Every structure is written in structure tokens, then in C-alpha cells.
Amino acid sequence: NVQGGQRQITADGTAFRTSTAFDAFNFNPYNVFQTPFKRFNIYSTGRYEVNENLEFYARGIFSKNKVQTIIAPSGAFGLTVEVPLNNPFLTTAQRNAFCNFDTNSGAGITPRFTAAECAAAANPNLRPGDAAYRSVTTVVSRRNVEGGPRISTYDTTFFDYRAGVRGAITSTIDYDLSASYGESENKSTAAGYWLNSRVRQGLLANANGCFTDTNGCVPLNLFGATGSITPAMNEFLEEKSVTTNKFSLTQVPGAISGDIGVASPWAPNPAAFAIGAEYRKYTASQESDLLSQSGDLGGAGGAAPNIDGGYEVSEIYGEVVLPLVQDVAFFEDLTFEGGVRYSSYSVDAPSNPSYNTWTWKVGGSWSPGFGLKIRGNYAESVRAPNIAELFSPVNTGLTNLSDDPCANLNDQGGSLGRPV
């Protein structure tokens, strides 16, 4: 913030523009319409029929793929920083603009620093703690166009194996019982990102170098024209970050289906049914390195905290399809359908919280003939929370909201018309 509003650096990098308008950045040329990827798959299946009432079967899938995405350069996006007035890259005009910032919101002008303080603070050898040392806190936005785009690589490996037995109980009733287990792992490596902490560190410098020389600090020039970010600066500012997501699913379903020969007096086809039970166990985790956990990556959209959790569910269900009337005038087919499912969830957390749900549906169809069919149904369902929703800690992520949805005042102090 300079002279009471947003200011851009002039094209030659020597001063700040007097206009509060700033240039938008066109990120589209950096992005790709078709994402390149490599994929390797293996699939196998087999079955062995003992007799007409008993068959064993199995299936296996393995896949490994690699995807790379390219997006616009990283940088400092509305980052609050401290800038010493003797930063070696500040021009006299830029330093004076910081010093002359009006700190008086009312009538009259009260500069941040007097002319004498500003001149004294320009001494190239001053450090924090020296009597004449002065600094300003401001917000900077700067794309790293010199460093090129951000490149993320996603390596994914997954497998899923299933084995089961199926066959006939009677001539009209079948059974199917199976078990499966699968895992997936996605490793994300992000490159080309500036670290917010190193932007701040690189700005805290004088003619002799960074005030804190850890991490191989290189003084950062955010005040020059395009091209002012050197390869040495980028090498200091950039780091790779790795996040690994893992998922697993254990599943044991069993079902009996068919018909028992019971039919409506007005329909030749018997009622069909299915009853079954299923057990599923889900686990998931997100393992992030310290950079991703801290939210230090410039333009990453926020921190990626560690997540680890799971839950299991046991279910029973039943369905029926009952033809009511068939093969009569205006009732070529009139069929009723219904189903119900009971689910019992248990969460892998302290005290093992659990909850139970019922879901159901009813419906039917009517075919009066002439190739016409009318269908209708009503259902009630429940969506269980996923593992990320259950176990993610409170985190601030990327948003395009102009105002906090919980606030009743905007940034200028005006009312948003929301109740207090």
C-alpha cells in the first residue's frame, strides 16, 4: 500500500504508478487443454464351474499412471511483508512513496516518516535495532514470470482383487457371495512454487545481504521491472513439496435373488426379489511434508494438513418387483417396485461414534400399449460424510469470496445486511 491505495511498479522499475489501477495477469497461455499422462494396466479374471449350482470366480486389477499438470507461475499473492527502507533494490522514488504514505485518515496529511527519518533510514548498512533503521509493512503481489510455470506430477498406483462363489439354490433362485480388497496411492510432487517465508526473508536485506542468512538467503528484488528476479533468487525462493494420499476398501457382499413362483392373479410373471447383506471398511490418509502442511507454498491455495481416519458400515437390504396386471386391454404391464436398506456406521475415532440409517424407495410403471410406458418413483436416501469431512482439521483454503460469509460488515465497514 502506497499513498493510500494499491500501486503498481512502473514499467522501468524505478517508481510507483500514480493510478490505483493494476494490470490483470493472463494465466491461460500456461495451462494445457489436454493433460499428458502415461498409464500401465493389468487385468485378469477367471472362473471355475464345479457344477451347475457352484462356481468359483476371481478378478484382479492393477494400474499405475503418471500425470503432469502445468499452471501459471507461482509468486507472492497478496502477501503481507516487511520491507526495510534501506532495501538495496528500492529506488529513491519508491522509498519516498513509502515514507510519504498518509497515516491520517482525516483532514490533513501525516506522512509515515519525516524527510529526515526517511533520508537517515536509507543508509545501506543499517540493520534492525539500529537507531535510524526504519521499515514498512505492506502487501505485495508479484508473479514469478521469470521462473516459469508451476508443474505438478501425480504418480498413482492402485490394485483391487475380488474372489467369490455363486450358483443356484433352486431353478429360480441364485446366490452370490464375494470378498474384495483394494488400495490406491497418489503421490503429488509440486515444483516451481515460491515459499512465502522466503519471500519475506529475502526482502529483509540491506546492501550487505539478508539480515538472516539461513537457507542460503539471496536478497529479493520485487521492486524492479520484469526480469528483476534472477535465477539465484528463484533458486532460493523455490522448493519442491510432496503430498501422498492413500485409500483402501474392504468389501464383503452377499445376495440371494430370483423368484419363488408367487404371482398376482392378473399377471403371468411372478414377483422377483433380492435380499442381501454387505460389509465395507474404508480407510484414507493424507501425508504432507512440512511445506504443504504449513501452507507456505505461494499460490497453492492453503495448507494441506495430515489426515488419517476411516469408518466401516454393515448393511442389509431387500427389493421386490411385482407385476400386478399384464396382457389385458390398456394394461399391457402394470408393475410395482419397492426396496429398503438399513445401514449401521461405525467411525474409527475415540469412543467409536456410530449412527444408523434407513433408506427406501417405492415406484412403478404402466404400459397401456402402443409402445408407451409411464414410470414413476419416490426414494429417500442418505449421504454419509467422507473421511476428509470427518477427520480434516480446521483449515483456511483458497476462496473467491469477497466477504466472510459469517461477517456482518465489509472491508470498508459498511453493513452487509446480515443479522448480528
Side-chain angles (χ1 to χ4, degrees):
N1 292 323
V2 180
Q3 296 177 347
Q6 290 181 328
R7 296 290 188 269
Q8 265 198 323
I9 293 171
T10 55
D12 61 4
T14 60
F16 292 111
R17 295 181 186 175
T18 56
S19 171
T20 59
F22 63 94
D23 297 333
F25 183 83
N26 183 9
F27 57 82
N28 285 310
Y30 296 89
N31 297 354
V32 293
F33 287 106
Q34 184 175 3
T35 304
F37 74 96
K38 296 180 180 179
R39 182 172 61 192
F40 175 80
N41 290 337
I42 297 177
Y43 173 82
S44 66
T45 184
R47 62 187 183 91
Y48 179 75
E49 186 175 333
V50 178
N51 54 51
E52 61 181 8
N53 298 323
L54 177 62
E55 178 183 278
F56 295 95
Y57 63 93
R59 183 213 66 195
I61 301 173
F62 175 85
S63 179
K64 185 177 181 64
N65 62 69
K66 183 174 185 176
V67 177
Q68 277 196 327
T69 63
I70 303 173
I71 59 176
S74 180
F77 299 96
L79 184 65
T80 301
V81 298
E82 182 184 352
V83 181
L85 290 184
N86 65 339
N87 181 288
F89 302 110
L90 274 179
T91 65
T92 300
Q94 292 167 345
R95 182 181 301 108
N96 289 338
F98 279 127
C99 291
N100 294 330
F101 174 80
D102 184 11
T103 60
N104 184 1
S105 59
I109 297 176
T110 305
R112 178 187 278 124
F113 300 116
T114 65
E117 288 177 316
C118 194
N123 185 326
N125 298 315
L126 291 176
R127 295 179 59 86
D130 293 339
Y133 176 83
R134 297 289 186 274
S135 66
V136 296
T137 299
T138 187
V139 175
V140 297
S141 296
R142 171 63 151 85
R143 284 277 186 175
N144 179 26
V145 292
E146 293 89 345
R150 289 167 282 176
I151 300 175
S152 294
T153 303
Y154 301 92
D155 292 290
T156 302
T157 303
F158 80 85
F159 67 84
D160 182 71
Y161 305 122
R162 178 183 295 272
V165 58
R166 60 195 173 198
I169 298 175
T170 70
S171 60
T172 60
I173 299 177
D174 299 323
Y175 68 92
D176 190 341
L177 176 64
S178 64
S180 66
Y181 179 77
E183 289 184 6
S184 71
E185 178 183 277
N186 176 269
K187 183 178 180 180
S188 171
T189 304
Y193 283 82
W194 276 5
L195 302 188
N196 293 330
S197 60
R198 295 196 181 178
V199 171
R200 294 186 174 105
Q201 184 182 359
L203 288 172
L204 291 171
N206 62 15
N208 302 313
C210 299
F211 296 151
T212 304
D213 59 4
T214 58
N215 308 311
C217 183
V218 177
L220 173 61
N221 184 6
L222 289 186
F223 307 102
T226 300
S228 64
I229 308 298
T230 66
M233 294 176 189
N234 264 322
E235 185 177 354
F236 161 65
L237 293 170
E238 293 181 0
E239 285 287 354
K240 287 186 177 180
S241 178
V242 178
T243 300
T244 303
N245 290 281
K246 298 179 181 180
F247 307 89
S248 73
L249 171 61
T250 302
Q251 193 172 14
V252 183
I256 298 174
S257 61
D259 70 76
I260 55 176
V262 176
S264 165
W266 306 281
N269 293 335
F273 76 95
I275 57 173
E278 184 170 353
Y279 168 82
R280 299 187 303 276
K281 182 175 178 62
Y282 302 86
T283 67
S285 67
Q286 177 172 273
E287 301 171 2
S288 304
D289 61 16
L290 293 178
L291 290 178
S292 293
Q293 290 183 51
S294 66
D296 202 15
L297 301 178
N306 284 345
I307 301 171
D308 188 13
Y311 66 89
E312 57 188 45
V313 55
S314 300
E315 296 181 320
I316 55 173
Y317 63 88
E319 296 184 55
V320 63
V321 177
L322 175 61
L324 299 174
V325 183
Q326 292 180 314
D327 302 330
V328 300
F330 298 105
F331 285 93
E332 186 176 282
D333 181 80
L334 178 65
T335 298
F336 167 81
E337 300 176 20
V340 64
R341 179 182 294 256
Y342 172 78
S343 305
S344 177
Y345 291 85
S346 178
V347 181
D348 295 340
S351 77
N352 294 109
S354 61
Y355 56 98
N356 306 320
T357 66
W358 287 92
T359 58
W360 53 275
K361 69 172 185 178
V362 292
S365 62
W366 171 43
S367 298
F370 319 106
L372 178 65
K373 186 173 187 177
I374 301 172
R375 298 186 62 195
N377 64 74
Y378 180 86
E380 183 175 288
S381 62
V382 175
R383 188 188 80 86
N386 58 46
I387 293 174
E389 291 168 334
L390 286 169
F391 292 92
S392 293
V394 175
N395 185 32
T396 301
L398 187 65
T399 178
N400 59 1
L401 295 174
S402 59
D403 291 296
D404 181 349
C406 298
N408 60 356
L409 298 178
N410 60 24
D411 294 337
Q412 291 71 43
S415 174
L416 294 171
R418 299 171 181 159
V420 178

